[in-house]
């Protein structure tokens, strides 16, 4: 999670995987998607990173929130919407099913999701 904000808005960037993020200028976010080295550059893991895979899927979500007048002008507290967005990306639901001769047996049912 990374965010930039002013007195009225907060823009949060959520990612499914850990990435480097910086705000080098006011109003901007820069995301480091890949880091490929063949030699140790003294800035990260010792040695090169030969296991680089160019087809790595990156998933992002942006959340734009209006700040309330009761909230402080700048705060490190994260809203509930922002927390839930992070949780959904970092811990996606796992759906299990089994083959069945009866269609209703193969449906995934959860008391938590259905409120029972």
């Amino acid at each position: 999670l990374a965010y930039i904000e002013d007195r009225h808005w907060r823009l949060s960037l959520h990612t499914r995987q850990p990435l480097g993020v910086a705000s080098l200028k006011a109003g901007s976010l820069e995301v480091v998607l890949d880091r490929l080295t063949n030699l140790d550059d003294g800035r990260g893991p010792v040695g090169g990173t030969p296991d680089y895979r160019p087809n790595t899927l990156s998933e992002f979500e942006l959340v734009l929130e209006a700040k309330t007048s009761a909230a402080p002008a700048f705060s490190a507290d994260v809203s509930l919407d922002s927390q839930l967005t992070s949780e959904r990306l970092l811990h996606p639901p796992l759906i299990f099913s089994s083959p069945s001769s009866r269609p209703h047996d193969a449906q995934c049912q959860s008391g938590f999701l259905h409120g029972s």
Side-chain angles (χ1 to χ4, degrees):
L1 165 67
Y3 64 87
I4 55 175
E5 66 181 352
D6 63 14
R7 294 191 181 279
H8 306 287
W9 300 95
R10 174 181 279 185
L11 178 67
S12 303
L13 172 69
H14 300 268
T15 65
R16 180 172 237 175
Q17 62 285 338
L19 297 169
V21 180
S23 179
L24 301 177
K25 295 187 294 189
S28 71
L29 281 175
E30 294 186 24
V31 180
V32 179
L33 294 177
D34 292 312
R35 182 172 172 270
L36 175 62
T37 62
N38 290 326
L39 303 171
D40 183 12
D41 61 2
R43 296 183 186 175
V46 176
T49 54
D51 60 345
Y52 170 74
R53 296 184 182 154
N55 296 327
T56 301
L57 177 65
S58 296
E59 221 175 295
F60 302 94
E61 282 197 36
L62 290 172
V63 177
L64 180 63
E65 300 172 290
K67 296 175 80 174
T68 64
S69 59
F74 298 98
S75 171
D77 295 333
V78 179
S79 71
L80 180 60
D81 285 342
S82 207
Q83 289 177 15
L84 293 174
T85 299
S86 282
E87 287 298 316
R88 188 179 67 251
L89 282 171
L90 295 173
H91 307 288
L94 299 175
I95 299 173
F96 299 96
S97 66
S98 62
S100 174
S101 59
R102 296 182 295 182
H104 68 276
D105 287 343
Q107 294 177 356
C108 178
Q109 295 182 3
S110 169
F112 174 75
L113 294 175
H114 296 272
S116 56

